[in-house]
């Protein structure tokens, strides 16, 4: 089993739609969780950290479910500019490095 | 403030040639990393340096060597390039090893013929 698993998608949604991605992880002891965004042929950039209580940043909401070992990302009112690959990141088994998921592709269409 | 810089941006090598990818950060970060990204595989850690003077193997270290030249610079060397090393290489840095945001350079697109 991979340490971090994501549905690769693509998720094709119309502008204005709400879309959600899940990511499952193996390391039950992980204390750090992140969502990164990667545009085509560009470097990954931090979208948001994921806290135990969940957090919201504008149209983006991240949630952590420790019991089921998954994190989620909800995007409301999707914009064309949200089209990208979203990478889930957790602390790997061994506790000494971050592990990146392979990413979920989102395509927002007009 | 340039963040993380990488050189070169593109490179084509023949099998067996060697090269060094350069990375520098100006954020005074302690930890630095080298990843490779292949289609459908996500980012895979090659080597990392938790702090100046230390380096450790990541998930896919075979065929690579690294040098943490000082706190700012972390280079990746391919001694004898192979077609399987065709990939996009990203350097990243962070304040600490796991708890903090990693900042990435723009990447090096390497093709080995």
């Amino acid at each position: 089993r991979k340490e971090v698993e994501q549905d690769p998608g693509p998720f094709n949604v119309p502008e204005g739609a709400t879309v959600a991605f899940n990511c499952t992880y193996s390391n039950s002891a992980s204390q750090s969780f992140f969502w990164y965004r990667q545009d085509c042929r560009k470097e990954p950039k931090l979208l948001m950290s994921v806290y135990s209580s969940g957090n919201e940043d504008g149209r983006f909401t991240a949630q952590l479910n420790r019991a089921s070992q998954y994190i989620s990302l909800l995007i409301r009112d999707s914009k064309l500019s949200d089209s990208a690959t979203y990478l889930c990141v957790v602390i790997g088994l061994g506790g000494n490095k971050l592990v990146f998921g392979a990413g979920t592709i989102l395509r927002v269409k007009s | 403030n340039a963040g993380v810089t990488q050189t070169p941006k593109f490179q084509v090598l023949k099998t067996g040639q060697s090269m060094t990818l350069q990375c520098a950060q100006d954020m005074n970060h302690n930890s630095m990393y080298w990843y490779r990204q292949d289609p459908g595989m996500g980012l895979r850690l090659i080597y990392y340096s938790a702090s100046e003077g230390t380096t450790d193997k990541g998930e896919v270290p075979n065929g690579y060597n690294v040098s943490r030249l000082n706190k700012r610079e972390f280079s990746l060397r391919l001694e004898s390039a192979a077609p399987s090393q065709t990939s996009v290489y990203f350097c990243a840095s962070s304040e600490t090893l796991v708890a903090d945001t990693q900042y990435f350079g723009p990447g090096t697109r390497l093709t080995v013929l």
Side-chain angles (χ1 to χ4, degrees), chain A residues 25 30-35 48-50 64 66 71 89-90:
Chain A
Y25 61 92
S30 180
Q31 297 295 319
S32 294
F33 307 88
F34 307 92
W35 282 102
M48 58 199 308
S49 301
V50 186
L64 168 63
R66 285 193 180 276
I71 64 174
V89 186
V90 304

Side-chain angles (χ1 to χ4, degrees), chain A residues 36 38 41 43 46 96 98, chain B residues 37 48 97 101-102 105 109:
Chain A
Y36 278 69
Q38 186 173 24
R41 300 181 71 80
E43 72 272 22
L46 179 70
N96 60 348
L98 295 180
Chain B
Q37 187 173 38
Y48 65 100
L97 194 56
T101 302
Q102 290 190 12
R109 283 175 168 71

